[in-house]
């Protein structure tokens, strides 16, 4: 009997397992174990995976923190996709930076310095949004009532795009912004 043709014996489940079948089961099992242990391995030794933290918080408190940063470190304004004026903020290197996700904008626009480390705090004011940084491979779900914190170090100066990659309603496609990275000062 082969593994492809129909069984010759009607009571096929009473036959001893075929060698070829048990071989494939074992190969699949070993490979799934390799992939399973690659996840923690890659998290520790790869330099790609995000190690993010999440804390319960309220939109009011998060907005207050963000507003405080904007008031202190605003450098100019830019026009967003929905024609609103959005402040551009250049916070001090090494510190905490805040970004609000809401229908349908990212607020404010952050300007960071290459080679510096920041604690990037993200929170949604309403419902699920997705923070996707292009062309980098950074992707994180942004939930309401949870503050997500990422430790980030921009490597290259330039203008990056932030797009929302979780469908969040009518104007989901306009929920795009920028992230500026300047040379180290
Ligand atoms: Cu926010 Cu889609």
């Amino acid at each position: 009997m082969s593994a492809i043709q129909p069984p010759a014996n009607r009571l096929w489940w009473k036959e001893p397992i075929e060698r070829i079948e048990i071989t494939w089961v074992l190969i699949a099992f070993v490979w799934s174990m390799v992939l399973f242990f690659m996840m923690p391995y890659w998290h520790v030794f790869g330099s790609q995976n995000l190690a993010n933290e999440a804390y319960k918080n309220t939109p009011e408190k998060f907005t207050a923190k963000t507003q405080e940063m904007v008031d202190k470190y605003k450098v100019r304004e830019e026009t967003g996709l929905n024609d609103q004026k959005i402040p551009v903020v250049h916070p001090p290197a090494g510190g905490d930076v805040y970004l609000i996700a809401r229908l349908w904008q990212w607020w404010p626009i952050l300007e960071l310095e290459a080679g510096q480390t920041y604690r990037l705090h993200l929170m949604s004011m309403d419902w699920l949004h997705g923070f996707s940084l292009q062309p980098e491979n950074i992707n994180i779900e942004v939930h309401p009532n949870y503050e997500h914190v990422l430790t980030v170090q921009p490597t290259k100066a330039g203008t990056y795009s932030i797009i929302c990659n979780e469908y969040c309603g009518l104007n989901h496609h306009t929920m795009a912004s920028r992230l500026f990275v300047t040379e180290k000062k």
Side-chain angles (χ1 to χ4, degrees):
M1 186 185 130
S2 78
I4 302 172
Q5 278 150 2
N9 181 359
R10 244 175 68 82
L11 299 178
W12 53 271
W13 61 87
K14 284 191 179 164
E15 290 176 21
I17 192 160
E18 288 281 332
R19 230 187 133 87
I20 182 106
E21 191 173 1
I22 192 72
T23 309
W24 278 113
V25 168
L26 284 175
I27 289 172
F29 178 74
V30 169
W31 185 237
S32 70
M33 285 294 112
V34 169
L35 295 178
F36 178 77
F37 286 107
M38 273 303 283
M39 288 190 280
Y41 173 84
W42 203 243
H43 185 80
V44 177
F45 297 103
S47 53
Q48 299 181 354
N49 291 25
L50 293 175
N52 63 302
E53 303 150 43
Y55 306 95
K56 276 224 162 212
N57 201 351
T58 63
E60 293 73 29
K61 282 190 196 149
F62 193 86
T63 305
K65 281 275 190 191
T66 311
Q67 188 66 54
E68 194 186 314
M69 173 190 77
V70 172
D71 292 343
K72 271 194 199 151
Y73 306 116
K74 179 177 158 181
V75 285
R76 60 180 187 280
E77 266 184 350
E78 298 226 352
T79 307
L81 272 186
N82 294 324
D83 286 330
Q84 320 97 326
K85 292 272 176 235
I86 301 188
V88 179
V89 177
H90 192 118
D96 293 280
V97 298
Y98 298 84
L99 185 60
I100 286 176
R102 64 187 172 208
L103 301 169
W104 285 278
Q105 61 170 209
W106 300 94
W107 193 92
I109 295 173
L110 297 170
E111 188 177 84
L112 308 178
E113 292 175 21
Q116 303 283 15
T117 304
Y118 299 86
R119 300 264 296 162
L120 172 62
H121 301 246
L122 296 161
M123 188 168 165
S124 165
M125 295 296 111
D126 29 60
W127 56 67
L128 181 64
H129 298 285
F131 175 88
S132 173
L133 188 70
Q134 307 287 335
E136 299 303 307
N137 185 16
I138 293 180
N139 234 310
I140 178 169
E141 283 182 351
V142 186
H143 296 258
N145 298 316
Y146 278 97
E147 181 172 344
H148 301 269
V149 191
L150 307 168
T151 303
V152 295
Q153 187 184 59
T155 47
K156 259 197 307 226
T159 301
Y160 297 81
S161 299
I162 298 171
I163 59 163
C164 177
N165 65 356
E166 294 286 348
Y167 181 69
C168 56
L170 216 52
N171 280 334
H172 160 70
H173 62 286
T174 65
M175 196 173 159
S177 183
R178 279 145 289 170
L179 175 84
F180 298 114
V181 177
T182 61
E183 297 295 347
K184 198 169 178 170
K185 287 190 178 147

